[in-house]
Amino acid sequence: MDLKLKDIDRIIEMAWEDRTPFGAITFQFGLKERDVITLMRRELKPKSFRLWRARVQGRATKHSKIRTFDEGRFKCSRQRLITNNSISKR
């Protein structure tokens, strides 16, 4: 899959966010969890990748099926629809 630099940056940003599940990345970019891990390994420095993996492993919020909160997904007040993910100018 050919991703633009802007898309790669957004995927990395979403992968680092605690409350963004891998399912959201799959929905928006078509990458499964394994593909995100491969992308992160390729794009990050080795130490940054190890820190990210340690942070993500066992984190329930990164996996929609094992999330424990029922209030719905977190959405920043400045975030637009998931398909148009840019922040409006103020």
Side-chain angles (χ1 to χ4, degrees):
M1 171 180 264
D2 293 327
L3 294 169
K4 297 178 183 174
L5 185 59
K6 182 177 82 169
D7 293 337
I8 292 171
D9 288 343
R10 182 62 186 140
I11 292 167
I12 292 171
E13 183 181 352
M14 291 173 77
W16 271 103
E17 292 170 351
D18 290 338
R19 295 182 63 132
T20 302
F22 286 112
I25 297 171
T26 302
F27 176 77
Q28 194 166 356
F29 296 100
L31 296 177
K32 296 181 180 177
E33 181 179 351
R34 170 83 37 215
D35 300 326
V36 173
I37 293 168
T38 303
L39 182 132
M40 296 292 276
R41 180 177 280 123
R42 185 181 69 226
E43 298 293 329
L44 298 179
K45 295 177 185 176
K47 181 162 179 137
S48 296
F49 175 74
R50 286 192 300 272
L51 287 170
W52 175 75
R53 282 300 287 158
R55 181 184 175 112
V56 169
Q57 283 181 332
R59 185 172 293 274
T61 56
K62 292 303 281 184
H63 301 87
S64 300
K65 292 179 183 176
I66 58 173
R67 284 176 29 172
T68 57
F69 50 93
D70 296 325
E71 295 86 35
R73 72 176 187 88
F74 173 77
K75 183 176 178 183
C76 176
S77 61
R78 295 174 305 215
Q79 183 180 3
R80 293 187 182 187
L81 296 174
I82 196 164
T83 55
N84 190 11
N85 227 352
S86 60
I87 296 175
S88 62
K89 295 179 181 174
R90 295 174 195 211

